[in-house]
Amino acid sequence: MKEYLVTASQMKQYDKNTIAFHRMPSLLLMERAALVTVEALPKTFLEKPKRVVVIAGCGNNGGDGLAVGRLLFLAGHAVEFVLLGNPDHCTEETKQQLEILASYGVRTFGRISELTYDKNIDMVIDALFGVGLSRPVEGMYAEAVSWMNETDAPICSIDIPSGISADTGEILGCAVKASLTVTYGFYKLGQMLYPGAAHCGRLICGQMGIDEKSFLGTEPSWYTYLGIEKGLLKRRAPDGNKGTFGKVLVIAGSKQTCGAAMLAAKSAFCAGAGMVKVVTAVENRDALLQYVPEAMLLTYGAKREAADDSLWGQKGFWQAFEEAVTWADCILIGPGIGQGDFARSLLVYCIEESRLPLVIDADGLNLLAKEKDLQSELAEQGAQNRCVILTPHLGEFGRLYGCETAVCKEHLTQYPRQLAQRLGCTVICKDARTVAASKDGESCYLNTTGNAGMATAGSGDVLAGMTAGLCAQGMDGWEASVTGVYLHGLAGDMAAEKWTQEAMTATNMIAQIPSAIRACQREEECMYGKSYVGELSESVCGGRS
């Protein structure tokens, strides 16, 4: 289901709004957070007394951890508390938690070395730092992180593993490798982005009193879908026909790059498009007709007996191409077209002579990166509400944006929305966590379906074809982008289950598109059942890519 993703500053503001506007006492929120955390612990862990060590800092995250430890202590567990830092510098809420512990006669240690450590620890509660951490972990805090990671016990992190940036997922010096992370109110961006996502273990979001009523008009721009999302796809009209279900013009595949055209065309059909016409090099004709016999062809290049009689650059081809553009409901251009003069002329025509919804991928993006005038034209058309979707991987994105790939990866939550605003286009930036940014920069989607097996040749062609197929059926650019990215990842997850991440191919992903669509259409449980949905919703940060 749809889940908001918040930054550290947003979460702090929503916390303040709940306290000031809704009159919810801060200490009560802390107590509810502690109850949510204890409830999230495995029932097998709580069945009999266990030895627990709480490592707390002086902030409110530390206060949450102290409250969790107290609840476990009162339930009969052997709990030892370590508070790192000067108690005089604790927040008021954490000071009160220390006073409550003292009233129960519980001792709080000032350093880990004071523990009666014999390695027989059943769980560590990591409450060292919360979402507000913004500088590298150093000194005794780094030593505490190292100690926690070196224990054999499972680690439950409070809100976010200590050392992870809540905004970017960056490791700030060093970070706890949690087995379980219990976060509050809303998921944080850094819990979904790598490498932070890999440190969260099983991730559970508990409600402790801060919800959408705490936004007070400042709704987060980031969101994701967890589990099987039922509302993304509409039922097909029973009285429709192949024309009403959308016509996609796929401009893909030059000589010796037939695969890109094949994958994109097949994916457009599998996403629901009623008709697909492929503009490609004549050498690709036979292979395309065998792989996608449903597609129509318009070929260019050397004339031969079995080929279309139009020639590259001649009047006959351009007349047929203009007619194809007029026929289509959506255009996809770029996969495998090369970066020569002819490919450029096709791109120029699609941008300057048409106002159809346009998906630009692969070589189309590389050509666009060289053409500032075309970029300016797209920006003007975006202001006039033309639907244009760009689908770059990080390398292509860097060329468009004007930065190194590594720099783009570091700014995955900022640069795509900036490029979207600059060019007036919806931008899908493909990475281990693919992001989509609307052309006004107001809406941002972070995809959590998919896996490392999708890092394979042709995966991007599949996404481009699916997105174009959805656009042709009447979805606006933003809806088609989010739906396409989500279904693409879900199909990839299903392909990995059947063929493994190591062995799966782009063709395997296409084979699973129908299953992904079926899962999102059914009102009853899909074939993968509750366990699959639970895995996506609770373990989405535990190694999915």
Side-chain angles (χ1 to χ4, degrees), residues 331-377:
I331 302 171
L332 163 60
I333 184 169
I337 63 172
Q339 299 179 47
D341 291 340
F342 183 62
R344 178 187 178 279
S345 66
L346 291 170
L347 178 64
V348 169
Y349 187 96
C350 291
I351 293 176
E352 295 185 349
E353 304 300 327
S354 172
R355 292 299 181 269
L356 288 173
L358 177 63
V359 179
I360 307 178
D361 185 43
D363 285 330
L365 296 168
N366 292 325
L367 286 166
L368 182 63
K370 303 173 186 177
E371 302 281 345
K372 300 300 181 184
D373 290 344
L374 288 181
Q375 294 180 32
S376 298
E377 178 68 22

Side-chain angles (χ1 to χ4, degrees), residues 108-232:
T108 303
F109 299 106
R111 52 186 67 180
I112 292 175
S113 60
E114 297 177 6
L115 291 171
T116 56
Y117 180 55
D118 56 7
K119 292 193 175 182
N120 291 322
I121 299 174
D122 296 297
M123 179 169 286
V124 175
I125 305 296
D126 161 36
L128 199 53
F129 299 110
V131 299
L133 183 67
S134 59
R135 61 181 185 275
V137 178
E138 300 174 337
M140 64 178 178
Y141 302 106
E143 292 176 3
V145 169
S146 178
W147 181 87
M148 284 188 273
N149 286 339
E150 290 174 2
T151 64
D152 295 328
I155 302 172
C156 173
S157 286
I158 303 298
D159 214 5
I160 194 168
S162 294
I164 297 297
S165 166
D167 292 352
T168 67
E170 176 188 0
I171 296 174
L172 299 174
C174 60
V176 167
K177 187 79 171 180
S179 309
L180 168 69
T181 299
V182 183
T183 196
Y184 310 121
F186 306 98
Y187 292 105
K188 317 307 183 289
L189 265 172
Q191 295 166 342
M192 300 292 173
L193 293 165
Y194 288 100
H199 279 249
C200 290
R202 185 184 181 210
L203 177 62
I204 295 176
C205 185
Q207 187 47 255
M208 34 68 81
I210 302 176
D211 57 18
E212 295 176 21
K213 294 182 179 62
S214 298
F215 292 162
L216 301 185
T218 57
E219 183 176 308
S221 57
W222 285 93
Y223 68 96
T224 190
Y225 288 119
L226 298 180
I228 302 298
E229 186 62 27
K230 298 291 185 183
L232 287 180

Side-chain angles (χ1 to χ4, degrees), residues 270-444:
C270 286
M275 303 174 74
V276 175
K277 179 176 285 188
V278 183
V279 179
T280 190
V282 68
E283 290 84 359
N284 300 334
R285 181 181 184 275
D286 293 343
L288 268 161
L289 288 176
Q290 288 182 2
Y291 186 71
V292 198
E294 304 89 347
M296 296 174 285
L297 297 184
L298 173 59
T299 61
Y300 57 83
K303 184 175 180 180
R304 69 183 192 185
E305 185 177 351
D308 187 287
D309 62 1
S310 359
L311 295 177
W312 170 80
Q314 290 189 348
K315 182 178 180 181
F317 169 78
W318 284 105
Q319 181 178 348
F321 182 71
E322 292 172 11
E323 292 172 356
V325 170
T326 302
W327 163 88
D329 295 310
C330 178
I331 302 171
L332 163 60
I333 184 169
I337 63 172
Q339 299 179 47
D341 291 340
F342 183 62
R344 178 187 178 279
S345 66
L346 291 170
L347 178 64
V348 169
Y349 187 96
C350 291
I351 293 176
E352 295 185 349
E353 304 300 327
S354 172
R355 292 299 181 269
L356 288 173
L358 177 63
V359 179
I360 307 178
D361 185 43
D363 285 330
L365 296 168
N366 292 325
L367 286 166
L368 182 63
K370 303 173 186 177
E371 302 281 345
K372 300 300 181 184
D373 290 344
L374 288 181
Q375 294 180 32
S376 298
E377 178 68 22
L378 282 182
E380 291 179 11
Q381 293 178 11
Q384 297 167 10
N385 212 31
R386 184 184 184 185
C387 169
V388 179
I389 302 171
L390 310 181
T391 60
H393 57 57
L394 285 178
E396 294 159 348
F397 181 92
R399 287 187 282 276
L400 271 171
Y401 187 88
C403 68
E404 297 295 325
T405 300
V407 177
C408 168
K409 192 174 182 69
E410 291 174 4
H411 297 85
L412 196 60
T413 58
Q414 296 100 35
Y415 286 2
R417 68 194 307 179
Q418 292 173 10
L419 184 65
Q421 290 174 301
R422 185 202 306 172
L423 299 183
C425 305
T426 300
V427 173
I428 298 173
C429 187
K430 298 176 291 193
D431 193 27
R433 288 289 196 238
T434 293
V435 304
S438 62
K439 65 181 184 180
D440 58 9
E442 295 299 318
S443 297
C444 298

Side-chain angles (χ1 to χ4, degrees), residues 463-477:
L463 174 60
M466 292 177 68
T467 305
L470 293 168
C471 261
Q473 295 173 73
M475 286 189 179
D476 63 36

